[in-house]
Amino acid sequence: MEIVMDAQALNAFLAADFPQVAGSISVQSVAQDRLVARLRVEDQHLRPGGTVGGPTIFALADVAIYCAILSRIGPVALAVTTNASIDFMRKPAAGGELLAECRILKLGRSLAVAEALIFSDGGADPVARCSMTYSIPPKRPENSGL
Amino acid sequence: MEIVMDAQALNAFLAADFPQVAGSISVQSVAQDRLVARLRVEDQHLRPGGTVGGPTIFALADVAIYCAILSRIGPVALAVTTNASIDFMRKPAAGGELLAECRILKLGRSLAVAEALIFSDGGADPVARCSMTYSIPPKRPENSGL
Amino acid sequence: MEIVMDAQALNAFLAADFPQVAGSISVQSVAQDRLVARLRVEDQHLRPGGTVGGPTIFALADVAIYCAILSRIGPVALAVTTNASIDFMRKPAAGGELLAECRILKLGRSLAVAEALIFSDGGADPVARCSMTYSIPPKRPENSGL
Amino acid sequence: MEIVMDAQALNAFLAADFPQVAGSISVQSVAQDRLVARLRVEDQHLRPGGTVGGPTIFALADVAIYCAILSRIGPVALAVTTNASIDFMRKPAAGGELLAECRILKLGRSLAVAEALIFSDGGADPVARCSMTYSIPPKRPENSGL
């Protein structure tokens, strides 16, 4: 499926529609098989020990997967996460930024499934693994799919 | 298993060790079969449309389940979430507070499993369902279990 | 939502449409808030040590949740599992039968979410916890929802 | 981590310890980054429409991930699945065999996390995605880790 929004378009969409995340999460690259998003770590994300907490990792994966879906279907602000499964596998590097590498596994008419691996910037082993299902609203809004 | 930390002790623990969440999430009650935690919704949690976003719901479930485990084993700051599975089922009520009702299903020596249902305050149908696994460190820290 | 198929109707449906499971899994009771299904354990389900393996527990949860949904919407053979999350928490009792206690959390027009706890017959602590999402086909088949 | 059991050793282990699955599931190849297992589809696996059901896909992923872990740590019969998350994304091809491509994401002292994509043999798009956590018993069995 063709890419209809590139990194610049996705970041502009985030800035307009999700200003509260756009300051810390941005799309770095969009390719046919992989979207990469980056989290700039701020004090509010840190847990004792100086590492990023689970909710922030969840937010990074969620934004990355959302953008990966939008990169194929365009700016559908109403797509919503219906299921998420995360494995937290390693402690992130203290103070470092995080990267999410995201891949779409299914892009159906009403459901999309994608997965993301989260890395500390420069780290070889994944910090976390996440898969999510998104519900995509039908084109005619009077006929809600959920 | 006996309750060794009540709501007051858990909230004091959150205030001391997790000041960034203690402002918005608090434990409301602890009973043998159920812990209830409450999220005071702030602007930073809101998504377009005025509802609470997935990462905030994740954070509420995470804190509720963490506190439910600590209520039985005492203040073990090193217990970590290893797996989380969430179903987002309904949009939370705009502007309202959220409640997490949490139940422990297994409390083993190194792994605990618990589940939480998330409700809009006053709502009858759950907004989200979450199950999590926590890894509990062994008592002698030199012998890490993970 | 009203119950439109009782245990007898669900077992007749399983016998007609899923003969390969109907021999070992049956619906025991259907109430407003809970469906109970039972697995008669056979040699083919056993793993070393005489306990039931994960795929059989998965099958029991899947049939129980499927029947819980059908008990509300009638015999829709095309409803399919889209997501399952399972925690295996305790070893089942050797040789014993298993019970699944199932509860529907959401029954939307195109997605249903339910959860099940699996017990060894007579056991107080759950062997496993499972949540599943089902995709329900729209009533007019020419307009597939998936 | 070094590979200590190859496909032949893993299949011999399955035949000896899991004869009920060894007839239908076998390890096809083991490499540093990927294990591939194959399901020979039999009538007992089929659902209405001639496709493989969820429990059988679960079993294939479970055996593949188990063997991927054993390929690194040797024949530890007591490793057990503690969590599984599956997304069922497409109907398998009727009558065809299934392949599981499995990758280990973490291999710790007491927990291992791996994921598998399931394909119809010859198909380009995955039928299902699965991630699982395994609990690995400590080397001295008198000191059970779970």
Side-chain angles (χ1 to χ4, degrees):
Chain A
M1 204 166 175
E2 205 187 346
I3 293 173
V4 299
M5 294 180 81
D6 61 10
Q8 190 179 348
L10 290 166
N11 287 323
F13 176 82
L14 290 179
D17 281 32
F18 296 90
Q20 281 152 326
V21 304
S24 52
I25 301 176
S26 60
V27 176
Q28 183 166 306
S29 64
V30 184
Q32 193 59 40
D33 63 339
R34 200 170 67 161
L35 179 142
V36 180
R38 174 181 290 270
L39 172 78
R40 195 159 50 80
V41 176
E42 295 161 355
D43 276 358
Q44 57 159 313
H45 304 136
L46 298 182
R47 288 291 171 86
T51 59
V52 173
T56 303
I57 292 174
F58 179 95
L60 172 59
D62 197 20
V63 170
I65 288 173
Y66 185 53
C67 287
I69 294 169
L70 298 194
S71 75
R72 309 303 172 90
I73 65 172
V76 178
L78 294 175
V80 294
T81 313
T82 57
N83 174 267
S85 165
I86 307 193
D87 293 293
F88 297 100
M89 298 184 288
R90 295 174 182 88
K91 204 187 273 279
E97 303 202 341
L98 292 184
L99 295 175
E101 297 185 0
C102 172
R103 184 162 63 134
I104 294 176
L105 296 176
K106 175 192 169 80
L107 187 50
R109 274 197 292 171
S110 68
L111 291 179
V113 179
E115 60 181 9
L117 287 176
I118 312 295
F119 296 87
S120 287
D121 193 7
D125 292 320
V127 161
R129 182 212 66 75
C130 182
S131 41
M132 289 188 177
T133 300
Y134 265 74
S135 174
I136 302 170
K139 284 184 180 157
R140 288 172 298 176
E142 67 271 25
N143 177 24
S144 164
L146 192 56
Chain B
M1 204 166 175
E2 205 188 347
I3 293 174
V4 297
M5 294 180 80
D6 61 10
Q8 188 179 350
L10 290 165
N11 287 323
F13 176 82
L14 289 178
D17 282 34
F18 296 89
Q20 281 151 330
V21 307
S24 51
I25 301 176
S26 60
V27 176
Q28 182 166 307
S29 64
V30 184
Q32 193 58 39
D33 63 337
R34 200 170 66 160
L35 179 144
V36 179
R38 175 181 289 271
L39 173 78
R40 195 159 50 81
V41 176
E42 295 161 354
D43 277 358
Q44 57 160 315
H45 304 136
L46 298 180
R47 287 293 172 82
T51 59
V52 173
T56 302
I57 292 174
F58 179 95
L60 173 60
D62 198 19
V63 170
I65 288 172
Y66 185 52
C67 286
I69 295 169
L70 297 195
S71 76
R72 309 304 172 92
I73 65 172
V76 179
L78 295 174
V80 294
T81 313
T82 58
N83 176 265
S85 165
I86 306 192
D87 292 293
F88 298 100
M89 298 184 289
R90 295 174 181 87
K91 203 187 274 278
E97 302 201 342
L98 292 184
L99 295 175
E101 298 185 358
C102 172
R103 184 162 64 134
I104 294 178
L105 297 175
K106 175 195 170 78
L107 187 51
R109 275 198 291 170
S110 67
L111 292 179
V113 179
E115 62 181 7
L117 287 177
I118 312 295
F119 295 87
S120 288
D121 193 7
D125 292 320
V127 162
R129 182 212 65 77
C130 182
S131 41
M132 290 191 177
T133 301
Y134 265 75
S135 175
I136 302 170
K139 284 186 179 156
R140 288 172 297 176
E142 66 272 24
N143 177 24
S144 164
L146 192 58
Chain C
M1 205 168 175
E2 204 186 350
I3 293 175
V4 298
M5 293 180 81
D6 61 10
Q8 188 179 351
L10 290 166
N11 287 323
F13 176 81
L14 289 179
D17 281 34
F18 296 89
Q20 281 152 329
V21 305
S24 51
I25 301 176
S26 60
V27 176
Q28 183 166 306
S29 64
V30 184
Q32 194 59 38
D33 62 339
R34 199 168 69 160
L35 179 144
V36 180
R38 175 181 289 272
L39 172 77
R40 195 160 50 81
V41 177
E42 295 161 353
D43 277 357
Q44 56 160 317
H45 304 136
L46 298 181
R47 287 293 171 85
T51 59
V52 172
T56 302
I57 292 174
F58 178 96
L60 172 60
D62 197 20
V63 171
I65 289 174
Y66 184 53
C67 287
I69 295 170
L70 297 195
S71 75
R72 310 303 173 92
I73 65 173
V76 178
L78 294 175
V80 293
T81 313
T82 57
N83 176 264
S85 165
I86 307 191
D87 293 292
F88 297 100
M89 299 185 287
R90 294 174 182 88
K91 202 187 274 280
E97 301 201 343
L98 292 184
L99 296 175
E101 297 185 0
C102 172
R103 186 162 62 134
I104 293 178
L105 297 175
K106 175 194 169 81
L107 187 51
R109 273 198 293 171
S110 68
L111 291 180
V113 179
E115 61 182 7
L117 287 177
I118 312 295
F119 295 87
S120 287
D121 193 7
D125 293 320
V127 161
R129 183 213 64 78
C130 183
S131 41
M132 290 189 177
T133 301
Y134 265 76
S135 174
I136 302 170
K139 283 183 181 158
R140 288 172 298 176
E142 68 272 21
N143 177 24
S144 164
L146 193 59
Chain D
M1 203 165 173
E2 204 187 349
I3 293 173
V4 298
M5 292 180 81
D6 61 10
Q8 189 179 351
L10 290 165
N11 286 324
F13 176 82
L14 289 179
D17 281 34
F18 295 90
Q20 280 150 329
V21 305
S24 52
I25 302 177
S26 60
V27 177
Q28 184 167 305
S29 64
V30 185
Q32 193 59 41
D33 63 338
R34 198 170 67 162
L35 179 144
V36 180
R38 175 181 289 271
L39 173 77
R40 195 159 50 81
V41 176
E42 295 162 354
D43 276 357
Q44 57 161 312
H45 305 136
L46 298 181
R47 288 290 172 86
T51 60
V52 173
T56 303
I57 291 174
F58 178 95
L60 173 59
D62 197 20
V63 170
I65 288 174
Y66 185 52
C67 286
I69 294 170
L70 298 194
S71 75
R72 309 303 172 91
I73 65 172
V76 178
L78 295 174
V80 293
T81 313
T82 57
N83 175 266
S85 165
I86 306 192
D87 294 293
F88 297 100
M89 299 184 288
R90 296 174 180 87
K91 204 187 272 279
E97 302 202 341
L98 292 184
L99 295 175
E101 297 184 2
C102 172
R103 185 162 62 134
I104 293 177
L105 297 176
K106 175 196 170 78
L107 187 51
R109 274 198 290 171
S110 67
L111 292 179
V113 178
E115 61 181 8
L117 288 176
I118 312 295
F119 295 88
S120 286
D121 193 8
D125 291 321
V127 162
R129 182 212 66 76
C130 182
S131 41
M132 289 190 178
T133 301
Y134 264 75
S135 174
I136 302 170
K139 283 184 180 157
R140 287 173 298 174
E142 67 269 27
N143 177 24
S144 164
L146 193 58

